[in-house]
Amino acid sequence: QVRVVESGGGSVQAGGSLYLSCAASGFSSEQFCMAWFRQAPGKEREGVANIDNVGSVVYKDSVKGRFALSRDNAKIFLRMTRLRSEDSGMYYCAAGPGFCTWRRDAFPYWGQGTQVTVSS
C-alpha cells in the first residue's frame, strides 16, 4: 500500500520562507516521479515542481528562482523563499510511476495536503 505524507507549511509574511517535505512509502516501481501541486480556493489544482528519480527538476514559471526542490530516494523537500500572497494555497505531494508530467491523472498517489498562507 502506497502512502504519501506531507509535513511543513504554515503561515508567513510576504517575502518570507517555508519548507515542505514529503515521504512516499510502499512504492514498487523503481522509476517514479514525485511532485508538488497547489490549489487556491476557487482555482484549479496546478503543478508547482516535479522531480524524477535521477533528480531532474521542472518548475512552474512563477516559482523559478524562488523555490528549490530536492529529492532523497522517496522523500522530496521543497524550500520556498521570497513567498508571495499568490503562493498561498493547499499544497499536495503526489507520486506516480514513470516519467514526470504535469498531468494530474498520471499521479495515482496523493497526500492529504498542507496549508501555506502568505500574508501581504
Side-chain angles (χ1 to χ4, degrees):
Q1 181 180 359
V2 177
R3 290 189 66 211
V4 177
V5 180
E6 305 108 334
S7 60
S11 297
V12 68
Q13 289 191 328
S17 300
L18 286 172
Y19 189 77
L20 305 181
S21 59
C22 171
S25 60
F27 223 97
S28 61
S29 174
E30 290 186 357
Q31 181 176 352
F32 60 100
C33 178
M34 295 186 72
W36 286 100
F37 288 76
R38 68 187 181 193
Q39 188 167 18
K43 294 189 176 181
E44 291 284 320
R45 191 172 298 187
E46 61 179 6
V48 175
N50 63 52
I51 185 166
D52 65 15
N53 60 307
V54 296
S56 296
V57 183
V58 178
Y59 296 100
K60 173 181 173 62
D61 284 347
S62 65
V63 307
K64 287 179 181 177
R66 301 187 298 118
F67 289 15
L69 181 62
S70 61
R71 178 169 176 168
D72 180 7
N73 292 321
K75 296 180 180 178
I76 60 172
F77 310 94
L78 184 67
R79 177 155 182 81
M80 305 183 292
T81 64
R82 291 183 283 146
L83 283 160
R84 306 168 181 169
S85 57
E86 55 264 38
D87 293 319
S88 295
M90 188 69 77
Y91 280 66
Y92 296 92
C93 181
F99 297 103
C100 280
T101 172
W102 289 124
R103 288 174 45 198
R104 284 177 287 169
D105 61 359
F107 295 90
Y109 308 108
W110 292 80
Q112 293 299 307
T114 184
Q115 181 68 38
V116 170
T117 302
V118 184
S119 56
S120 56

